[in-house]
Every structure is written in C-alpha cells, then in structure tokens.
Amino acid sequence: FPQAWEEVWPRVNEGSYILKHNGIYYMTYSANSYESPFYGVGCATATDIMGEWLNTTKIIIAKSWWLVGVGHSAMFTDKEGKTSYC
C-alpha cells in the first residue's frame, strides 16, 4: 500500500532489497525520482515472501539540503551478529 510520500511525480519504486530475519521479511526500496525533493528509501515487512507487504515506516532516508539522490539500500549482518542498514 503506497504512502503519500511515494505517490509524488515522477512516481517510481525501484531497487528493492529483501532480508529475512526472525521469520519476518524486510524489504527496503527507493521511491520517486532521485532528483525529486520527495525521493527516499522506505521499508515494508511481510511474514510470507509472496504475502501482503505492509509499510512499516514513512521513510528511512530522505533528501536533505546536503544529501541528494540517497540511492538504493541493503541490509547486512556484521561480525557481532547485528543487522545493519546501508
């Protein structure tokens, strides 16, 4: 279900990345054009890879005065077993 910040012209959703952790699928994705002031990275969760995805946050990373075109995302587990976002 798109959120308001994802429905700004030019409407584009891309660069999805999915990670399963403790039985939950986490998908991060980029929305809107990189040149848009509304471009950002969002996150959705699901209990089934084919199931309904629920947006869990309005936005993870957004354009700011010093950061434009924040890019796609990925998550990883570090040596200590902590899941991190990049």
Side-chain angles (χ1 to χ4, degrees):
F1 299 104
Q3 297 183 33
W5 73 271
E6 299 176 58
E7 295 183 333
V8 179
W9 181 92
R11 187 174 178 189
V12 177
N13 284 36
E14 63 181 6
S16 61
Y17 177 85
I18 299 172
L19 172 77
K20 185 177 182 183
H21 179 71
N22 292 334
I24 304 290
Y25 292 93
Y26 294 85
M27 176 176 58
T28 56
Y29 57 91
S30 296
N32 302 318
S33 173
Y34 75 93
E35 62 204 1
S36 166
F38 301 100
Y39 179 76
V41 176
C43 181
T45 61
T47 55
D48 185 313
I49 192 76
M50 301 300 288
E52 184 175 341
W53 289 87
L54 303 172
N55 291 25
T56 59
T57 185
K58 289 185 177 180
I59 197 165
I60 295 175
I61 300 175
K63 177 182 175 180
S64 67
W65 65 271
W66 58 273
L67 184 62
V68 179
V70 293
H72 298 166
S73 62
M75 292 176 273
F76 63 94
T77 303
D78 64 19
K79 291 180 182 179
E80 286 77 37
K82 180 181 175 186
T83 302
S84 299
Y85 169 82
C86 65

